[in-house]
Every structure is written in structure tokens, then in C-alpha cells.
Amino acid sequence: MFHNRLLHSAPRHALILLLASASAGAAQQLESNWYGAEVMLRSRSAALDPDGRKIEADPFLIFKVDACAENVLSLRGDGMPFAIHVVPGGVVRLDEAVEYFSAELRKNPIDAELVARRGFARAARKDFKGAIEDYSTSIAFQPDARVFTLRGVARRDSGNPAQAIEDFTLALLFNPSDERAYYLRGDSLRRSARFESAIDDLAAAIRLNPEWASPYFARGAALESLGRFSAALPDFDEAIRLDPRDGYAYEHRGNALHRLQEYQKSENDYSEAIRLRGSTAALYSNRAHVRQSRLDYAGAIADYTNALRIDPKLTPALSRRAVCWEALKKVESAQADLDELVRLEPSNPAYYHQRGAYAVRRKRFEVGVKDLDEAIRLDPKMAGAYSNRATAWAGQEIYDKALADFDAAIRLDPKDSYSFLGRGIVRVMRDENEQALADFSEAIRLQPRNQSAYYNRAELYARLRRYDAALRDFDALLAMDPNNLLTVFNRGLALSKLKQPAEAMKSMDRALALDPKYAPAYILRGDLFRAAKEYEKARADYREGMRLKPEFPVALDRAAWLYATCPVDSIRDGKKALELATKACRLSQWREGQFWMTLAAACAETGDFTRALYYLNKAIDGMPKNTPDFEPMQEMLASFEQKRPYRD
């Protein structure tokens, strides 16, 4: 069996005496010839340990010369705890090793170890085919676990993982306690996406050698690939403890922490990986992605820019940088990155989709449609492109095309909450209310925290006067976001429609606490005060609403109604009512029947019953009979016909 470890033998003279006797000139000549060279031992017994004892060294190891003295070289090998010492004649330079072992084999052509060592030298030159041939010949002479392992490594590195796994399995048949074979088989299984089997092998390697970092790292990476990020972290922690200079372990731990939304820790790990491994495009891009997740868009852009400086064709970094530019409202920079994406990959539908969707968000609907057409041409099954094109059609009020595209998006991806939401909105515009409610409900089922779906459904319920249902949705929204001003306000509006004025008043007070300049809350609170016959408070709120938003037709209309119809003489002001009601109608382009009703009341208060009857009849003609205002209008009509102003 070939030896796998450095073996001590009896002590010899202390090496320090040999080093001390070297002349300075000879040492300098030796250093210039050998320092930094990669070498292999000519024989396993050619070396001394630091105490000067003869040892048998691993014949399958590449050493680097890290010190020289007269006729003595100090060598270090990967994973060795100490340096060994040899005379120059005891080593062969790596770039001359194949020729050296070939010459030795001409003397002894059936020496299994020499054939395997030549294979090892060939593998170091990346001549994997020659290496595999030599390892196979050696195995034919003398089957050995170490050579099966080496052949497996060569097969893995030449892109043949299945045969590599077979070789590692054979190595374990010959040596069931070989932690290296377990590790290599486990890592090859991981690279072949056979993660569960990989985890078993790597656990075996760890049991056999719990102080070896590599199996912990590989098992952590397998768990990471399975999405088991919390389980992966302890393995990465242990890999880093055992080998604190392993930049890859920091990188992968950063990946896991990112997926667990521990952004600051993830960013710290990527920074350490950059320090240890140097600047790579992938590391900068990964750290940028974490910064983007933390909404540190400026920091993310700096890292994406560094990544792209190293690799200008790293399109994922370019794509994400465009998103960051958009978040910072840097329109030209975002557009430039999106254009560059399409230039670099003109056949990639994802980038036409991204650029088209950006145009739609900017309300450049026709431009967006062109890019989305191309995305769909390149990939007719891209559901998101249909969904975004539907949004573009809806933005142009082409609702039949919008509906058709949302239908296509849902057919391709029936689990996309956004497409159901979008289709629901289009159906509202087409007065297909029950179908719209069904779409909003499905969007919520698919994504229970979809606030837009809840909000649109609540508003539609309110429009259909199903205020109890609207209130339930507003309550659900507040549970998700207690400080959302619009939700607080609209909940209060629903409560007022449900004749719960005290609760409605609390909602208006809460809305004004959130935003003291929110005019609609003053108007609705004024309505509540007016209904409670607290007319002074109502007038004060209406005035504040108009002060904050002088061109707000609803504020003008409500104040005009109070001035025209209030039963308290000191509040009424017919002239002011007429001025405000006329302005409200003009601002609404004379399309609101309720505003005509208020204008009619203002005309009556000023004694102009002819115009009052004219505007009131216009309002009645345009008002469905099932509206809450229809009955009061009939009362007003009777009052005006008797030349009497209306009192609320």
C-alpha cells in the first residue's frame, strides 16, 4: 500500500547545524536556482523533518521551495504542519517530473508507484488523459486505494464526474476509513446535484477527521443548494474556524445569510471574502446584491460598478444596477444599463422584458409594448411579459387587449398573484365587478399579504356599498401596515357609511395624527361633525380642508352645502355657497350630479329658485333612483317648487 502520511524514523544530526555551516555565496546561488520552485520528491525517503530525522514523505504531493541553504532546500506542501528538508538531488522540478519518471520507468517498467507518480505529474500539467492512463496502468499492476482516488480526481477535473464517483467508491472498498475518498466522493456528488448522498459522505469524512475544514465547507454548500440555509451555517462556521483564510467559506456563508435576510452579517462575510480572495466580479456583485436588499442603493451601485469594471459582460450585475438606478430615480442611468443589456444579449428575452417593464412603469406605454412584443416573440411562454404588456394596454385604456394578455399570463402561470390583481383592475374598468372581486380574492389566496389586492377589493366592495366586507379588508390591511394613511382614512369612510360615527371619527383623528395636512380627512371629519349638528366644528374642518387644498372639488362642495343648507342662521351664507358650489362644478367639468344638487341648494338660498330647479332637475336626471341622495332630492324639489330654501 502507498503511504498517505509523513512517517517519522530514527533521529539524525540536527538540521540546524547543516544550515549554519552554509556559506553565504553558495546559499545565494542555491536560492536563485530553487527558491519558489514547485517540485516532487524523487523518492519517499529523501527528506528530513525540522528536527533532522529521516522521514518517509508523501510521494503524491507537490512541494514549494520556501528557503534555501548550501545543498539544502526547505519544502512546504499543501496541508503540511511543518516544512521538510532535502538536498537538491532529492527533488525534481514539477515541469521536468514527467520526463524524470518516464526515464525511471524505462529501468523498471512495472513499478506501480512510479507509473502512478508520473500520472500525478501529468495531472499537474492538466494532461488528464495521460494521467488517467497512467493511473489505470498502476492499478492493473497493483490495485491501491490512493491511486483509485487520484484517478477519480483526474476524471473529475476532466469533466467526467460519474466515473470519478465510481473511482472514489472503489477507493473506499480498499480502504473504508479513507476520509479523503469520502470527502472527494461527497464533493463530486454535490457538484452532480446529488445533495442528500453528498451530505452522507461528507458526514462520514467529518466523523473520520473532525478537524478537517474541507468536508464542513462542502456539506454546508450541499445544504445551501437544498435551500437549508440555517442548517448550512454551522458547517460554514466550523470550516472558517478550522481554516480562517478560506475566502470561499466566507462567500458561501454570506450567500446563506443573505437568503436568511441577515443582511449586515452577509455583507461582512462578502467583505472578508474580498479581502482574502482579492477583487472578483462575482464577490462584488454578491455584496452589491446584499446592499441592494438593504436598500443601500448607492453602495450597491458602487459594487456593481466594480464588478462590471472587472467583467464588463456580467449582465446580472448590469441588470440589478439598472434596478438600483431606478430606485434612485436616475432615469438616464437606468435606461443606459437596460439598453446595454439588450446590446450585449440581443437574443435574451429577459432583458427585453426588463426594459419593456421599465418603460411601462414610466408610462411610456407604446415603447414598452414594442420591447414586450419582442420578449414574447423570443419566449412565447414568458408569463411576466404578457402581464406587463397587459398593464401597458390598460394604461392606454385598451381594455380588451389588456384582458387578453392577463388571461394569457394566468394561463401560463396560474400562481402569479400580480396577474390576477391586474386582471381584476381591468375588469373593474369594464364594470365586470363580480369577476373583478373573484380575481382580487384569488390574488389574496395566492399571496395572503398582497396589500394591493386587499385594497382594490376593499374599494370595490365600498363602491358596491358592501361596506361590511370593505371594513374587513381594511382591517386586514391595518394588521399588515397599521400606519397606512389611506387605509386608515378609507376604513373611517366605511365606518361612516355603516352609521358608526364615533368609530369613524376615531379613524379621522388617527389619519390627521399621521398627516396633519391630509385635506380629505378634514372634509370627512367635517361631514361627521355636520351629521352630529356640531356646525361650528364642521365649518372649521371644511375651511381647513379648503386651505390645504384650494382646488379640491369635494372640499368646495361640502363647504357650499353647509353654507347653503345649515339650519343655524349664523352659519349660512348663500353668496359664499354659490361661489364655492359653482367652482366645484367647474373644476369637475360639470360631471358630478351631487355637485349640481349643492349648486341648486345655493341658488335657492340666494332666492334664485328658477336656477335652483334647473340644476336640481339636471341632478335628478343623471342620478340613479337607488342612490342615497335620490330621496333628499325629491324633498328639495318639493321645497323649491314652494319657493322655500332647503334645510339639512
Side-chain angles (χ1 to χ4, degrees):
M1 299 289 287
F2 298 151
H3 291 275
N4 196 5
R5 285 180 168 73
L6 299 171
L7 302 176
H8 290 274
S9 64
R12 295 186 62 187
H13 297 295
L15 184 69
I16 192 168
L17 298 176
L18 181 62
L19 291 172
S21 67
S23 69
Q28 289 176 358
Q29 179 64 35
L30 189 68
E31 182 168 350
S32 67
N33 289 338
W34 286 98
Y35 183 76
E38 290 186 315
V39 299
M40 290 179 66
L41 295 175
R42 291 178 184 264
S43 70
R44 65 170 67 246
S45 60
L48 305 177
D49 72 4
D51 296 325
R53 294 180 298 181
K54 184 178 178 181
I55 59 172
E56 285 195 349
D58 188 342
F60 298 102
L61 198 62
I62 296 170
F63 297 91
K64 191 167 186 177
V65 178
D66 71 347
C68 307
E70 184 179 4
N71 209 35
V72 178
L73 305 177
S74 176
L75 311 180
R76 281 199 178 272
D78 185 36
M80 286 179 54
F82 54 81
I84 62 172
H85 307 281
V86 298
V87 296
V91 297
V92 58
R93 293 178 184 273
L94 185 61
D95 56 7
E96 300 170 357
V98 172
E99 291 73 16
Y100 169 76
F101 291 122
S102 294
E104 291 297 303
L105 282 166
R106 282 193 286 275
K107 303 173 189 174
N108 186 3
I110 59 171
D111 187 323
E113 181 172 315
L114 277 176
V115 177
R117 295 187 75 196
R118 185 176 68 179
F120 185 78
R122 282 176 163 165
R125 290 184 177 182
K126 300 191 183 306
D127 174 13
F128 299 119
K129 182 180 178 181
I132 291 166
E133 289 175 357
D134 275 350
Y135 292 141
S136 298
T137 301
S138 175
I139 289 166
F141 290 154
Q142 181 184 336
D144 182 87
R146 184 70 184 279
V147 182
F148 278 117
T149 299
L150 291 169
R151 189 173 70 177
V153 171
R155 283 174 163 167
R156 180 199 68 187
D157 293 345
S158 65
N160 195 337
Q163 286 190 332
I165 291 167
E166 290 177 6
D167 273 345
F168 300 139
T169 302
L170 289 169
L172 288 166
L173 287 175
F174 278 84
N175 182 6
S177 299
D178 186 351
E179 70 265 24
R180 178 176 167 81
Y182 273 115
Y183 161 68
L184 288 167
R185 187 173 71 174
D187 197 47
S188 296
L189 288 165
R190 175 182 72 86
R191 294 167 188 264
S192 301
R194 294 165 62 183
F195 301 117
E196 296 293 353
S197 298
I199 289 168
D200 291 340
D201 270 1
L202 295 164
I206 290 167
R207 281 194 302 273
L208 290 164
N209 186 357
E211 296 300 309
W212 186 16
S214 296
Y216 287 104
F217 168 78
R219 187 171 68 176
L223 290 164
E224 178 191 347
S225 298
L226 288 170
R228 294 160 59 183
F229 304 111
S230 295
L233 285 179
D235 276 347
F236 293 137
D237 290 344
E238 191 64 8
I240 289 167
R241 184 188 71 80
L242 292 166
D243 185 1
R245 298 194 59 77
D246 183 359
Y248 291 97
Y250 281 102
E251 178 185 4
H252 280 263
R253 189 172 70 176
N255 294 344
L257 289 166
H258 186 189
R259 297 298 293 270
L260 292 169
Q261 299 183 4
E262 295 191 40
Y263 298 130
Q264 187 58 62
K265 290 181 179 179
S266 176
E267 182 177 335
N268 293 344
D269 272 355
Y270 286 136
S271 297
E272 185 64 8
I274 290 169
R275 187 185 72 81
L276 290 168
R277 288 177 50 202
S279 301
T280 72
L283 284 173
Y284 275 123
S285 185
N286 285 343
R287 189 173 69 178
H289 196 190
V290 172
R291 288 175 167 175
Q292 183 177 348
S293 299
R294 293 177 56 214
L295 308 185
D296 175 13
Y297 297 116
I301 287 168
D303 269 352
Y304 285 134
T305 301
N306 282 329
L308 290 163
R309 191 175 293 121
I310 296 167
D311 182 359
K313 295 183 179 180
L314 188 63
T315 50
L318 198 60
S319 173
R320 289 183 180 136
R321 190 174 70 175
V323 174
C324 294
W325 287 127
E326 181 183 359
L328 293 177
K329 295 181 169 48
K330 302 291 186 180
V331 175
E332 292 182 1
S333 297
Q335 190 65 54
D337 277 356
L338 293 169
D339 291 343
E340 180 67 4
L341 281 171
V342 171
R343 188 190 71 79
L344 287 170
E345 296 191 24
S347 298
N348 190 330
Y351 296 140
Y352 284 102
H353 179 201
Q354 184 178 358
R355 189 171 71 174
Y358 179 57
V360 172
R361 289 192 294 277
R362 292 178 61 199
K363 302 189 186 307
R364 299 174 65 210
F365 299 120
E366 293 183 3
V367 173
V369 165
K370 289 180 182 177
D371 270 343
L372 295 165
D373 284 345
E374 184 62 11
I376 290 167
R377 186 189 70 79
L378 291 166
D379 183 0
K381 294 184 178 181
M382 182 178 279
Y386 285 100
S387 191
N388 278 295
R389 191 172 69 177
T391 303
W393 294 129
Q396 299 171 80
E397 300 183 8
I398 307 173
Y399 296 123
D400 54 342
K401 288 188 175 182
L403 191 61
D405 270 355
F406 277 129
D407 286 343
I410 289 167
R411 191 164 52 250
L412 290 166
D413 184 2
K415 295 184 179 180
D416 179 23
S417 177
Y418 172 81
S419 292
F420 280 101
L421 169 62
R423 190 172 71 175
I425 293 170
V426 169
R427 282 176 162 166
V428 169
M429 303 308 295
R430 288 162 59 96
D431 289 324
E432 298 171 357
N433 295 321
E434 293 304 321
Q435 291 169 293
L437 287 171
D439 276 346
F440 295 145
S441 297
E442 182 62 10
I444 290 166
R445 187 189 71 79
L446 290 167
Q447 188 181 347
R449 297 187 65 82
N450 188 329
Q451 294 186 39
S452 293
Y454 271 109
Y455 193 85
N456 278 279
R457 188 173 71 174
E459 284 211 320
L460 181 53
Y461 277 137
R463 196 173 111 184
L464 297 172
R465 299 189 180 85
R466 292 157 66 174
Y467 298 114
D468 284 323
L471 186 60
R472 285 194 296 272
D473 277 353
F474 286 131
D475 285 342
L477 282 164
L478 284 177
M480 290 184 264
D481 186 0
N483 295 323
N484 186 290
L485 175 63
L486 284 177
T487 303
V488 171
F489 173 79
N490 281 301
R491 181 178 182 273
L493 183 59
L495 286 164
S496 73
K497 298 295 185 181
L498 288 167
K499 309 299 183 188
Q500 298 181 40
E503 292 301 313
M505 186 70 76
K506 289 178 184 177
S507 287
M508 292 308 103
D509 290 343
R510 172 69 178 147
L512 290 170
L514 290 169
D515 183 359
K517 295 183 178 181
Y518 187 56
Y522 283 104
I523 304 309
L524 183 52
R525 193 172 69 174
D527 289 346
L528 293 168
F529 280 132
R530 180 173 57 80
K533 303 188 185 310
E534 297 186 54
Y535 300 116
E536 293 286 353
K537 291 182 179 179
R539 181 172 63 181
D541 271 357
Y542 290 149
R543 283 175 172 172
E544 184 63 13
M546 289 189 294
R547 186 189 71 80
L548 291 168
K549 207 167 182 180
E551 303 295 302
F552 185 25
V554 175
L556 300 169
D557 175 76
R558 293 293 196 277
W561 181 261
L562 179 69
Y563 286 129
T565 67
C566 183
V568 178
D569 293 345
S570 62
I571 299 290
R572 282 198 317 280
D573 184 338
K575 183 178 178 182
K576 188 69 174 175
L578 187 60
E579 174 192 339
L580 295 174
T582 302
K583 185 177 180 180
C585 288
R586 178 169 48 79
L587 288 171
S588 64
Q589 299 181 341
W590 301 87
R591 293 177 180 172
E592 292 290 335
Q594 183 181 332
F595 293 176
W596 284 354
M597 177 178 166
T598 302
L599 182 57
C603 289
E605 181 61 24
T606 60
D608 188 349
F609 291 101
T610 301
R611 290 180 66 210
L613 285 166
Y614 170 77
Y615 287 125
L616 184 58
N617 281 312
K618 292 281 286 184
I620 291 170
D621 290 344
M623 189 81 67
K625 293 185 178 181
N626 62 346
T627 62
D629 289 330
F630 189 78
E631 188 176 333
M633 283 194 288
Q634 296 303 311
E635 295 175 9
M636 289 177 69
L637 184 60
S639 181
F640 294 167
E641 287 173 346
Q642 296 174 26
K643 308 295 185 186
R644 287 187 293 106
Y646 180 75
R647 295 290 174 260
D648 191 6

